[in-house]
Amino acid sequence: MNTRDYIYLVWKYYKTRQRYIVGELSKNGKYEFRYKAEDINKAIKNGFKPLIAFPDINEVYESYDIFPAFSSRLPDKRRKDVKEILAKYKLEKYDAFELLKKSGGKLPTDSLEFIDPIFLDETNIEREFYIAGVRYYDYCDEKSKNTKLKLDINEKLILEKDYNNKYDKYAIKVINKENKIIGYIPVFFSKEISEAIENNRKIKCVVINKECSDTCEECIKVKLTII
């Protein structure tokens, strides 16, 4: 967008699992990091603390190299298995920015991750992600670790706006072929997908992976395309 490439930094509040877009990292010749005004204050009220490397929420931080606070979240390029890691994310060479975009740069020590945002001026948009809120819709049997709802790989899912959602005014329900809600589009994509629906863009959402987990946060993975 505007000749810059962007990824968003998302923070998850551990009590409610609500996600907030707290910052954006962009590049065009040099890197810039800034906090996102829309969500940062809400996140701070719920316990988010500005990153040590970026203490001022009103500052725009610049660097000709990717910030160490973010590159440290990635596997070392000197690892013996680095080629396998790059192949996993369909990268031909080690690019820290692209690797953050593809992998999310998640660590077990915090609740931060990077996501590749959707900009609707793009054509042939394609994203892969996990459906949010699955644990609220009785998808997994926690005791047997088996799925309760019938869901097939490559099944086409229905996206429907939820006008009564009190947590996200752009909320999008995800519905299976049996007309049952299985979860929601993650909040960091909901505004753009809501606008795409209103503008009658051609949208396709299909299941590409399904499994049970302890928290059911990464149970149903989908591939979304917008033309």
Side-chain angles (χ1 to χ4, degrees), residues 119-126 201 226-227:
F119 296 109
L120 292 177
D121 57 354
E122 297 178 70
T123 56
N124 298 320
I125 297 166
E126 186 177 294
R201 296 278 292 268
I226 303 175
I227 300 176

Side-chain angles (χ1 to χ4, degrees), residues 150-185:
K150 181 174 174 55
L151 198 65
D152 300 320
I153 298 297
N154 295 322
E155 179 177 336
K156 293 182 181 180
L157 302 172
I158 300 166
L159 304 184
E160 184 179 294
K161 296 183 68 171
D162 182 355
Y163 294 98
N164 298 315
N165 192 290
K166 63 180 181 180
Y167 300 105
D168 178 11
K169 63 181 179 180
Y170 302 107
I172 305 291
K173 294 182 285 190
V174 181
I175 301 169
N176 71 357
K177 62 185 178 184
E178 296 181 337
N179 205 34
K180 293 182 179 179
I181 299 174
I182 59 172
Y184 279 79
I185 292 293

Side-chain angles (χ1 to χ4, degrees), residues 12 24 55 73-74 92 110 121 137 139 150 171 181 221:
K12 181 177 67 177
E24 66 178 29
R73 307 179 72 86
L74 297 172
E92 295 182 358
D110 61 32
D121 57 354
Y137 292 94
Y139 176 71
K150 181 174 174 55
I181 299 174
K221 192 172 187 180

Side-chain angles (χ1 to χ4, degrees), residues 3 9 47 70 88-89 114 122 135 138 149 164 180 186 190 215:
T3 72
L9 181 63
F70 300 142
K88 176 182 178 181
Y89 297 110
F114 283 94
E122 297 178 70
R135 67 193 184 97
D138 205 26
L149 292 177
N164 298 315
K180 293 182 179 179
S190 62
T215 61

Side-chain angles (χ1 to χ4, degrees), residues 63-120:
S63 174
Y64 283 101
D65 297 309
I66 194 164
F67 301 99
F70 300 142
S71 60
S72 63
R73 307 179 72 86
L74 297 172
D76 194 312
K77 65 175 66 176
R78 295 168 293 184
R79 284 178 51 160
K80 292 182 179 180
D81 61 345
V82 70
K83 288 185 178 180
E84 288 80 4
I85 293 171
L86 296 179
K88 176 182 178 181
Y89 297 110
K90 300 177 182 178
L91 295 175
E92 295 182 358
K93 62 180 181 179
Y94 194 101
D95 182 314
F97 188 87
E98 290 299 318
L99 194 51
L100 275 176
K101 181 189 290 186
K102 299 282 189 179
S103 70
K106 292 190 288 186
L107 297 176
T109 54
D110 61 32
S111 298
L112 296 170
E113 67 176 306
F114 283 94
I115 63 103
D116 185 7
I118 291 174
F119 296 109
L120 292 177

